[in-house]
Amino acid sequence: MKYIFHEPAANCRWRKCLLVMKLTLILLIAFVLHAGARGTAQTVTLSVSNISLEKVCQEIEKQSGYYFVYASDLKKASYQVSIKVDHGSIEEVLHMVFDRLPFRWQVINKVVVVNTAKQTVGERHDILDLGPDKPIAVEGVVFNLNDQPVSGATVIVKGTSKSTVTDVLGKFSFTAPVPVNSILIISHIGYSTQEIIVKNEGNLRVRLEIAASTLDATVVKGYYNTSQRLNTGNVSTVKGEDIQKQPVTDPLLALAGRVPGLYIQQTSGIPGSYSSIYLRGQNSLPGKGKPGTLNDPLFIVDGVPYSSASLTSSDIGGGAVGTPVGGGYVRGQGLSPFDNLNPADIESIDVLKDADATAIYGSRGSNGVILITTKKGKVGQTKVDVNFRTGGSKVAKKIHLLNTSQYLQMRHEAIQNAQAPVDSGYDFDLVAWDTTRYTDWQRLLIGNTARFTDAQVSVSGGNTNTQFLVNGGYSRQTTVFPGEYGSRKGSVHFNVNHISSDQKFRVQLSGGYVIGNNSVPNVDFTSNVMLAPNAPAPFSADGSLNWEFYKGTITWSNPFSGINIQANSNSTNLISNLTTSYQIMKDVQIKISGGYNISEMNQIQLFYANAVPPPGNSEPSSRKNNMATGVGKSWILEPQLDCHKQISKLTMDFLIGSTFQKDMRSAISTTSYGYTSDALVPNPLLASTQNLSSYSTSEYKYNAIYGRLSWNWDNKFLLNLTGRRDGSSRFGPDRQFGNFGAVGAGWIFSSENFIQRNLPALSFGKIRGSYGITGNDQIGDYQFLSTYSGNGYTYQGGSALYPTGVTNPYFAWEQDKKIEGGLELGFFKDRILLTTSYYRNRTGNQLIAYSLPSITGYSSVQANLPALIQNTGWEFSLTSTNFRIRDFTWNCSINLSIPNSKLVAYPGIKNSPYRYTFAVGRSLFTRFVYHFTGVDPQTGIYTFASKNGLGTPSFLTDQYFTKPIGQTLHGGLQNTFLYKGWNLDIFIQFVKQTGVNYLAYFGRPGAAFINMPTEILNRWKKPGDLAAMQKFSNSVDAGDAYATMQGSDALFCDASFIRIKSLALSYQISPKWVKSVRLQKTSFFIQCENIFTITKFRLLDPESPSLGLPPLRTITAGINIGL
Amino acid sequence: MKILSTKKYMFFAGLICITSCKKFVQIGPPVTLLATSSVFNNNGSATSAQTAIYTQMYDNAESYNLALQTGLLSDEFVGYSTTVKPFYQNRMSAQKTQGPWVRAYNYIYQANSIIEGAQASQGMSNIVKQQLIGESKFVRAFWHFYLANCYGNIPLVTSTSFSVNALLSRTPLAKVYQQIVADLTDSKNVLNSSYIDFTDTTVTNERTRPNKWVATAFLARVYLYLGKYDSAETAASMVIEHGDIYILEPDLNNVFVTSSKEAIWQLQTPQPESIIDTWDGYFFILNRAPFGSLVSISKQLLNSFETNDRRRTNWIHDTVFVGRPYAYPYKYQSQFLSPSRREYQMVLRLAEQYLIRAESRARLGNLTGAMNDLDTVRRRAGLADYSGALDTDSLVNAILHERQIELFSEWGNRWFDLIRTGKANAIMSIVTPQKGGSWNSDGHQQLYPIPQSEILKDYNLTQNIGY
């Protein structure tokens, strides 16, 4: 035995070492002697918990005959060891004991030398000069707790860029040798990340545990990824599987209630209709129907910006799904562009909220960013996955309406109270129609069952270098309306990933193509459910439309005449992205991402003769053919450079990139009329007149440089700087560029020793905060240019040009200053995760369509408004694994948002057009209305608060700013139960809000042939009555009071609701049985949407309160087979 | 090593920065839009800007809208639906009533834009510049006149600057009229005395662009309203004396057709045509019982016709729906486009000039001259010459009655006559109760309320009293 010691260096550390060495030598000699007196055993059996390291060493000595050499300070060390091993090899046992301790150790013959002076992690040198640790070839296998290999797990050599991925059998290997004592980080989504130290043994077995929390799952922040643990910003992720558990064809609908801070309102149950999106409130003054600043977040699908504006022609409209306003850049009515995405293709949706997360998107990040990532292939055997589901939808709730006798009573009462006679030339419901007739128009018009069918087939697989996925999908949804309406879509999605063997070159190509066909009625049939209950039969005995003639005049507008208007939209949507990257240096990667999106919509609207009532239907003009084509194209090119550098405990990431983007939109529409027969209508060339009714094109160009610099000190202190310099073609010369940026910081205090010691239950704790400025350029193109446009006419043979508006070339970027603080806590090994955030967004220099008096010629001009709008809010989310006992698991997650908006300042509001719309210090959703004071018991007429006591309130002095309309609290609660093959998901959405009640959507009771909800029966009848509704009367004073009531606070109501939004139950057939029939997995499932709602709201649905088709209740059943 | 790698980072970072450029985000207008400066760079596109106003006046059914609303307000029409009842029962409200305010100021903006554009233009020929400035001043005067008659004191707008205009307050009526007269006088002086086509120089038969006589005729009306009877007489005479151009169509059925010799100014039906010819014809002709904005002629008007007045039979049609009789204006006789009869939207016609001169002469004491003019109009309608008392008051009353009959359902003549002659209170306090409304003795219902939304947007605007 001969040891050569290092010469002591002029360094006190080494001097201390020397002392240790000496001690070691002495002890060594002593133990060698001692060992000789004992027998030796090759295995060790130990079962101890929390005993001192010294005692463990003594026990190992006893059993194995090995001897330990260590300094006396090991005895002093307070390390407690728990170990349970049955006949383990000495090597194994030593690993188990020391791997978690900061000591370097070495076995030399039968002597275990422990160096307490030098700690292991991150160090290279040994006390004993055995030469430097020679790199060794490392390979291994990764498996899970069920001994199943884990494929696709990433294995990284810590502190380097060396990495590999496990193959189908869970095996991995490094082509180049790895230094001994390197640390390998093995990670896979859904499993806890493990770190292991490379010892002399190059063959490793790694067992991954299922992650108790989502802390380490990937969080996509656009140009870079992180994990929730290390994120300095606020990003919420919704997984594809949660989206796919809901029977919806628009993926946005599946987000409702799942993301704190995000409120999605489904406005209609018609397939393809749009939904409203509010991410942390309204940042600019609401436009009130004018084309103004858009409040939509930026949508990005696989790196390609995705326009949220409908392509539905604003010229011919979208029928029951509405007509977009504002020339195509304002998202609103019309067919939703999100209907052109296939929910089954989505891997995850990340919602970026605060400045830290959104500032890298600069001018486009003001309203938040929603990143949609599609599915990718995974390493493994080629898999075929078939998913099929089918079911139906119905209107969930009926309105209680008057029956025929109640209706007729109302009509007569209204006429009598006005002291007028029944007018035989007008009151057809009383004089011409059968007064004993009763039709349940709700059943007839919206009572059908809509069918839902969805089929998806995907093939995926690949090896460690190349993975692929192809998915084909088809879905079909019909409506609850009479007639053959509905939407169908077919889609193909693919993704190919390749990584070169040296891990340096990566390429990824993804693409999705969706073809959709949508046919909706020209008018939402729901608007006709208020027809008089004794209204005529829609069809005559011979099957033709019944116009119920009375003395030669038609007496009603037959709702079924709409079936003589055929409206069809065919849309296609291609999104593709190609990303390549190359690691040019050890820590440096260059990347280039290019994307292309083209969406096209072709609409055709055919009016047959019977679409108009007689006698108009005999005119040649009654037959019409409208056609429209809208195209949106966008390309984006983003070169990027990434650096990743680790210096000691400091990890630095640096990123710089640039964006070039160009969007083009064009629309054209034609109208043709003058057909001699219905059969000719589809062909415009057979019409006597064909007109090009509109043509428009627009272009948007965008250019930016962005960057990110982040520091991570020992996974404790995090700092993230992001910024962007933007140029947008939507601004005038010298105002095109703007600078935006944010700083985010985090402190993972749970990594601190004093926390670990004092709060053992706290497994994770982070405080984070961010501050930054983002902007908004979501206005129309060319607004700064003073322009003239053709109005489609010629006069005296020359074309006509009109000015497009008043122009202001000086408007500039809107600025949104966002500040956020967050506290993230994990308890009991992260089984419970609680996130609390508070945000404050202040938007100034608002870019809006500023209201102008019409004497200027126009009603608005694009301008910056000095008003400062503040949106604040608290957001909470809690995920918890309540139970995990044997086969039973109960997970639960809840999120809650408490938003608040306020107009903080508006210098000069007193003289502005907004002085009676908004008030400083109040919410943006306040209303300026009369105060309703009930029905006068003497006159039976509505009364209102009036300062002069005259009864009729005055417009300016008697109106006041009310409490805000809208949500004051919203959120969702998801419960997941797993038991053997069973999986039950229940998702409950809850919203506390003030809404507008039914009085706003019905006419004046008794004044027209319109049915009413039974609530109105509680009306004033005679003097002295205390009633909620004023008397039925067609008189002028009753009409005026009714009109005032429509502008009063009588309309506001509590429209809060709690809804079982979705429910999914699935059963996976026993894997053993499935394998015996050569399948990989098979499961059956039931998925339901909008099951049950608790609300005080008295109309069809509190979510879409207007008298349109409400969100439907859907129940589907299906099967999923893996081949 | 470290320095080297830093340099490399800088190099790549620099590469990315360089690739961003300012030029990339500069775009020109799309093919569908023309920069304002380029519009006024040549005669053709500048003329397009001018004629666009006429297509809009046609397309927005200005003639029909004014006739409908003022006809309901006065004693010409019966309204049936809740849409038109507020006019019919003289209960206009600031919140709901949609008068000509918004669109009129839009036309004025366009006219101002052309005046400014043409004045600054380098590329337009002087003759076209002069013509378009003249037409635009005419349009500006025309709409200020209607605004003043509907609303009283109104903001006078003579520039396109939105920052100035957004804060305007109401201009006293006298000053508004001063500008109207000035604009019309300018127009009269610079406009071509012939009707011209799109080239602005070539003479055409169609009377679809304002010329010298259009401006003169309108000036005659303005002077009449202002009580400057001598000026009114002079202006009207200048038009009437051009017998080579203007004659009263002997056949009442030909007054409103495209080739009408009585027309002083007509709005051409813009191309491409829709299914209709004029909006007046489309909406006034009843093919079913009136509802919505459809109306019928009132008893007051029907009863005002003398027996054997050909205008009763040629310009009014009677029909029956659900057992009830309705009469409707039939000056425009085609509801849908028909190749056999083409009509243009009449704005100014010769008969009015005769009546303007008749009234001016009567008020100036030239009773014979007045009677001659009155009889010219009466003879065409198949009526005997005026045989009433020979004093100014009787004659003026007879002329006003003739105006009621001759000019019914055209551009608000009846309503504005009632107001300018001070007869509105006396007549409407009888008529309004018959229509189911009530007439306030303060007479505030003579004026439209200024739209509430406009007062909210311009805090310098004040509301008309009574609203």
Side-chain angles (χ1 to χ4, degrees), chain B residues 59-72:
Chain B
D59 207 30
N60 293 330
E62 298 304 349
S63 164
Y64 167 73
N65 280 322
L66 262 169
L68 173 82
Q69 293 182 1
T70 59
L72 286 161

Side-chain angles (χ1 to χ4, degrees), chain A residues 851-859 913, chain B residues 101 165-167 454 457-458 461:
Chain A
S851 270
L852 288 178
S854 303
I855 50 177
T856 60
Y858 291 86
S859 62
Chain B
W101 185 276
N165 295 343
L167 299 172
E454 296 300 315
K457 286 173 171 183
D458 177 359
L461 273 187

